[in-house]
């Protein structure tokens, strides 16, 4: 069974994990870009399930790697 949208509780947990993760990235001097933060906020706002987020990221990483290679 595929989940269409996350529940409000799931979104809150996802947001809490993201904020914690962002803190760890800051400590390692490797913060998310504004574009990355906006993307994750979109996932939360749209309540996308994790599988859909993962596919979106994979699709866009492929786009970025082709741009860099050119």
């Amino acid at each position: 069974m595929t989940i269409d949208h996350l529940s409000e509780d799931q979104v809150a947990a996802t947001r809490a994990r993201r904020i914690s993760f962002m803190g760890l990235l800051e400590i390692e001097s490797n913060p998310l870009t504004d574009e990355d933060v906006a993307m994750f906020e979109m996932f939360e706002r749209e309540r996308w399930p994790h599988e859909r987020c993962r596919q979106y990221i994979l699709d866009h990483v492929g786009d970025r790697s082709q741009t860099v290679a050119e």
Side-chain angles (χ1 to χ4, degrees):
M1 181 168 94
T2 304
I3 300 172
D4 291 333
H5 292 91
L6 298 178
S7 70
E8 291 299 321
D9 289 341
Q10 289 171 315
V11 170
T14 299
R15 182 176 296 120
R17 283 192 303 270
R18 176 180 55 84
I19 291 169
S20 176
F21 181 69
M22 286 173 61
L24 295 173
L25 289 173
E26 288 283 339
I27 290 169
E28 295 180 1
S29 299
N30 188 25
L32 293 178
T33 64
D34 290 342
E35 183 180 287
D36 292 335
V37 173
M39 177 185 64
F40 287 113
E41 288 175 344
M42 177 193 68
F43 295 161
E44 294 161 1
R45 183 178 57 254
E46 299 296 325
R47 297 178 25 205
W48 284 8
H50 302 300
E51 296 79 16
R52 184 172 179 190
C53 298
R54 188 175 301 116
Q55 189 59 53
Y56 181 92
I57 292 168
L58 291 173
D59 290 346
H60 284 78
V61 166
D63 292 346
R64 284 185 184 175
S65 65
Q66 287 181 1
T67 302
V68 171
E70 295 172 354

